[in-house]
Amino acid sequence: MNTLPPIAPLDMRRASLCQLLHWLAAGRVQPEVLAEVYQDAIERINPELNAYLGSVPGLVQEQARAAQHRRRDGVIGRLDGIPIALKDNFDVAGWPTRAGLAGRRAPAQEDAHVVSRLRASGAVLLGKTHMDEGALGAVTDNPHHGPTHNPYRHGYCAGGSSGGAAAAVAAGLAVAAIGSDSLGSIRIPASYCGIFALKPTHGEISTRGMVAAARRLDAVGLLARSVDDLTVLLQVLAGYDADDARSRRRRVAFSPPDWEPGNLRAGLLGDLGRFGVQADVIEVFNAALEKLPRELGERRTVDFDDWNFARTRRAGLLLMEAEMLGTFAADLEDTQHPVSERFRKMLGYAASKSAADYAVADRVLDAATLKMRRLFSQVDVLVLPTTPQGAFPLDGPVPDTQADLTSFASLAGCPAVSIPMGRLPNGLPIGMQLVGARGSDLRLLELASVCAATLDAEPAYPAIA
């Protein structure tokens, strides 16, 4: 007979996905109870945090009940009973896919590829999370649905465009979340909210059923409270999809997680101040590096003098804005539910450019691929802060450098992991980013796990209460 004490609701919300899978398997937690704990927390906390848009009444309980029956019958999926949040640019059959806009209210006809995989694994979908309008931003201060607040400090931004998803995970309103990342939309909010994130190799997870920002940049991104959780999610969601033109058919498997940390060649940018990184972020980053003398092995300063982060970020934005002119054509014409002037102006910028301008921007992706090949012939991993700054007040100026350090991995199609590396002097978290060659996702995750264990930057998740 199981004589172990019951798991407290707060412990369930602070637990990692892997810990909850263990408790579910041992019978110490039941899917219906777990779902109820998360729903209760959402009802209490979300009105102030504004991470969720909402969910279909009764659906969470229905999914949890089905998971409980499967566990009783011994037919268990990989994520059976795990409550997961979904960014509101993924189709869920019967739910509207708003993509941060006001006029998109028609229910989706079928599930996105990742949603089908989550359902097949037994995950419990909690609801849709807030995002920037059209995924074109990095703040999640939405003119139609309001701002998402940082769980560590009300009135501060959660990052974006997957800010609602990151805030939900950091605040214990979801075990994990699925978002999108085109220039840093997963990693930026992970850095600001003190959680873990993975942008996989481009094409590794199908984006079918996700509202496109720029298909040459778009990636499904993963948010969780531990690196091991990211690995589980990647294994569930990755795979070739013949119905996605960008889906990656592997000629060989993922590079196996066989790096010896002490024998790594870690690339560093050198003078981070030259690349616009704020002094307080540099201080935390250098302190984190000092704690990883063996884990990062041999350190080499890599040459990025030929890489203008601001210019290449701008090129990536033009690709996004140009494609969004087609994606959101009907929304731009919807006079009953008008888009914001900011969104219209940004897409108008792309409309004012020529095909030649677009071709020049598109060539930046080729340049990034070549830069990536040269870089990873010299080093195994690129190590840098995830963002040049920490979270900032929602009522203050928005820095235009937020995606400078994340855009390279997106343009080059590389995997990138963000892990918490410490706290800024104002007490807010900040992330470290590990970037690897295409296909090195599992290696990056292994290294991230080793580094995170050493840094131990966020052991108790104080944002969860």
Side-chain angles (χ1 to χ4, degrees):
M1 185 175 64
N2 188 351
T3 58
L4 293 173
I7 308 298
L10 188 58
D11 290 334
M12 292 186 205
R13 292 178 48 226
R14 286 180 169 172
S16 68
L17 183 154
C18 291
Q19 177 65 73
L20 284 169
L21 285 174
H22 172 70
W23 284 339
L24 286 163
R28 297 190 67 193
V29 171
Q30 299 301 320
E32 288 186 282
V33 174
L34 183 61
E36 183 179 352
V37 164
Y38 273 90
Q39 279 201 297
D40 287 348
I42 292 169
E43 290 175 7
R44 284 190 298 105
I45 298 169
N46 192 64
E48 184 175 357
L49 188 66
N50 199 31
Y52 280 93
L53 278 167
S55 61
V56 177
L59 184 59
V60 172
Q61 293 89 338
E62 180 183 323
Q63 296 174 91
R65 192 177 308 116
Q68 194 146 317
H69 289 164
R70 287 192 297 271
R71 287 192 173 274
R72 181 196 61 196
D73 297 338
V75 183
I76 303 171
R78 187 68 179 90
L79 299 176
D80 234 311
I82 295 295
I84 290 181
L86 196 71
K87 186 177 179 179
D88 196 22
N89 58 346
F90 289 93
D91 287 342
V92 177
W95 300 14
T97 307
R98 298 176 184 85
L101 297 164
R104 294 189 160 217
R105 301 183 179 183
Q109 296 302 303
E110 58 184 37
D111 289 337
H113 181 81
V114 294
V115 174
S116 297
R117 291 246 175 167
L118 288 171
R119 288 192 194 275
S121 72
V124 174
L125 303 181
L126 288 169
K128 296 288 196 80
T129 57
H130 278 292
M131 56 182 285
D132 284 279
E133 187 179 23
L136 196 55
V139 181
T140 312
D141 189 358
N142 189 292
H144 311 293
H145 307 298
T148 295
H149 294 266
N150 192 296
Y152 283 84
R153 186 163 302 167
H154 193 79
Y156 277 65
C157 82
S161 59
S162 305
V169 173
L173 305 187
V175 179
I178 311 300
S180 63
D181 190 312
S182 301
L183 286 175
S185 290
I186 279 285
R187 291 160 286 158
I188 293 168
S191 177
Y192 291 173
C193 293
I195 60 174
F196 297 84
L198 168 68
K199 184 205 83 68
T201 295
H202 187 258
E204 189 56 49
I205 300 176
S206 172
T207 59
R208 177 165 54 87
M210 184 184 93
V211 178
R215 287 168 294 175
R216 290 197 64 185
L217 301 173
D218 292 345
V220 174
L222 314 176
L223 292 157
R225 288 194 289 273
S226 84
V227 177
D228 290 342
D229 296 353
L230 297 176
T231 303
V232 172
L233 290 169
L234 178 65
Q235 291 168 340
V236 168
L237 299 177
Y240 176 66
D241 177 11
D243 293 321
D244 177 3
R246 304 286 177 183
S247 186
R248 174 177 178 250
R249 185 188 287 277
R250 303 189 201 118
R251 290 185 175 84
V252 294
F254 271 141
S255 300
D258 58 359
W259 280 342
E260 296 181 40
N263 293 327
L264 281 178
R265 299 169 300 167
L268 303 173
L269 287 182
D271 183 3
L272 289 170
R274 289 180 51 212
F275 299 102
V277 183
Q278 292 184 353
D280 55 352
V281 177
I282 295 174
E283 182 178 351
V284 176
F285 180 69
N286 287 336
L289 291 179
E290 289 180 5
K291 296 178 182 177
L292 302 169
R294 179 181 179 278
E295 288 80 0
L296 295 181
E298 177 191 351
R299 303 181 187 189
R300 301 181 178 184
T301 301
V302 294
D303 182 10
F304 263 77
D305 290 341
D306 60 343
W307 192 259
N308 185 310
F309 283 97
R311 185 171 65 240
T312 53
R313 167 180 45 82
R314 181 63 252 179
L317 275 174
L318 178 56
L319 297 179
M320 292 175 64
E321 293 158 352
E323 186 162 339
M324 285 179 177
L325 283 170
T327 301
F328 298 112
D331 303 282
L332 292 169
E333 296 175 359
D334 184 352
T335 56
Q336 290 187 332
H337 308 96
V339 302
S340 72
E341 284 304 309
R342 172 191 172 276
F343 190 71
R344 191 178 296 278
K345 181 179 178 180
M346 292 185 76
L347 299 197
Y349 174 82
S352 71
K353 295 297 181 180
S354 68
D357 293 325
Y358 182 91
V360 170
D362 188 65
R363 288 178 183 172
V364 173
L365 274 72
D366 292 333
T369 297
L370 296 177
K371 178 72 175 175
M372 179 266 296
R373 291 174 181 171
R374 292 191 294 269
L375 173 67
F376 292 116
S377 69
Q378 303 168 30
V379 298
D380 300 305
V381 61
L382 177 65
V383 185
L384 65 167
T386 306
T387 49
Q389 68 290 112
F392 46 87
L394 284 163
D395 60 359
V398 177
D400 59 8
T401 61
Q402 288 177 275
D404 277 5
L405 302 182
T406 54
S407 58
F408 173 72
S410 295
L411 293 167
C414 298
V417 179
S418 180
I419 65 174
M421 68 174 175
R423 297 289 193 93
L424 296 169
N426 64 3
L428 294 176
I430 192 74
M432 172 185 285
Q433 184 180 196
L434 307 176
V435 182
R438 292 178 185 172
S440 65
D441 305 52
L442 294 180
R443 287 179 164 180
L444 273 188
L445 289 167
E446 181 192 48
L447 177 61
S449 181
V450 171
C451 292
T454 301
L455 292 174
D456 197 20
E458 294 293 334
Y461 289 99
I464 300 175

